[in-house]
Amino acid sequence: MSHGAHPLDQAVHNALTSRQAALSIREGDVIRFDPDHALFAAAGPSATAADWVVLARSTGRLALFEADAVVPAGLVEVDRIDCLQMTATAISGGGKSVAFELLTDADGPEMLALATLTQPGPFFSKTHRLGSFIGIRRQGVLVAMAGERMTLDGFTEVSGVCTHPDHRGHGHAGALMRAVGQRILDRGDKAFLHARIGHAATIAFYETLGFRPRITPSYVVMDLA
């Protein structure tokens, strides 16, 4: 991270070299999350195109997640999602309270199924292990969840927020996000999240919770050329 840069400008690199270092895989000066957890990867100051190619060859697809992302030589872009990064130093009150439970590793398959159905963002077989997740059940079935993804010194990301289509409109997402966000703040971190640029209603909803726009990173999935 360059002098004076904000930690969230290089959130992936900073997470993988601090709190989530145990999940990192490195090639030269390129570092990535274990692919069962996330596709995120980032370069250090001495990274080369060869580092990227070797890492992609040995571990599979990679994804940049930063502003002005540039695909390294030897790789090709296969998907891009332009996002808005938002941060919160306080979570707005209000909304409906709801009973939720702490989800565990045993809930992983059900969490993956819900995320696959609702597509809240990239979610893989071990994404639920990146942080604490909470959920709402109805008749024993997981119908809504929210949790944490990237975490670096001073910041934790709210992510994986989704509700089954048959259970929307009951305030589940807002209640879970308030709970997750407040837990983050209570630990002394600031909360951050990402929304798709074109989803104006979602962004407006996040603003009602206390999140404010910061930068516009792109999630760029890459594979070998």
Side-chain angles (χ1 to χ4, degrees), residues 43-211:
S46 61
T48 67
D51 293 339
W52 283 99
V53 170
V54 172
L55 191 57
R57 189 175 292 129
S58 62
T59 64
R61 286 185 170 184
L62 306 158
L64 290 166
F65 200 14
E66 56 195 52
D68 304 316
V70 177
V71 177
L75 300 182
V76 292
E77 178 182 317
V78 296
D79 192 22
R80 176 183 291 258
I81 302 173
D82 295 323
C83 298
L84 177 67
Q85 183 186 90
M86 307 178 75
T87 60
T89 56
I91 301 299
S92 301
K96 201 166 148 185
S97 61
V98 65
F100 60 81
E101 64 183 67
L102 183 65
L103 300 176
T104 70
D105 196 47
D107 300 306
E110 199 172 2
M111 297 167 72
L112 179 60
L114 181 60
T116 301
L117 173 68
T118 58
Q119 296 293 310
F123 205 97
F124 303 94
S125 62
K126 296 182 180 177
T127 300
H128 66 279
R129 296 183 181 176
L130 290 174
S132 176
F133 274 79
I134 57 176
I136 297 170
R137 291 187 179 277
R138 292 291 179 263
Q139 297 181 323
V141 177
L142 183 67
V143 300
M145 68 177 184
E148 303 165 2
R149 186 167 60 181
M150 281 188 282
T151 181
L152 53 147
D153 291 342
F155 298 88
T156 298
E157 181 186 20
V158 179
S159 188
V161 182
C162 54
T163 303
H164 191 284
D166 294 342
H167 294 269
R168 289 174 181 162
H170 300 289
H172 293 343
L176 292 176
M177 287 186 69
R178 286 186 180 93
V180 171
Q182 193 58 55
R183 287 182 175 196
I184 291 169
L185 299 182
D186 289 347
R187 294 200 306 262
D189 279 1
K190 294 178 182 177
F192 71 106
L193 55 74
H194 295 92
R196 292 176 184 247
I197 282 287
H199 289 192
T202 300
I203 292 168
F205 167 61
Y206 291 160
E207 288 181 325
T208 68
L209 300 178
F211 288 87

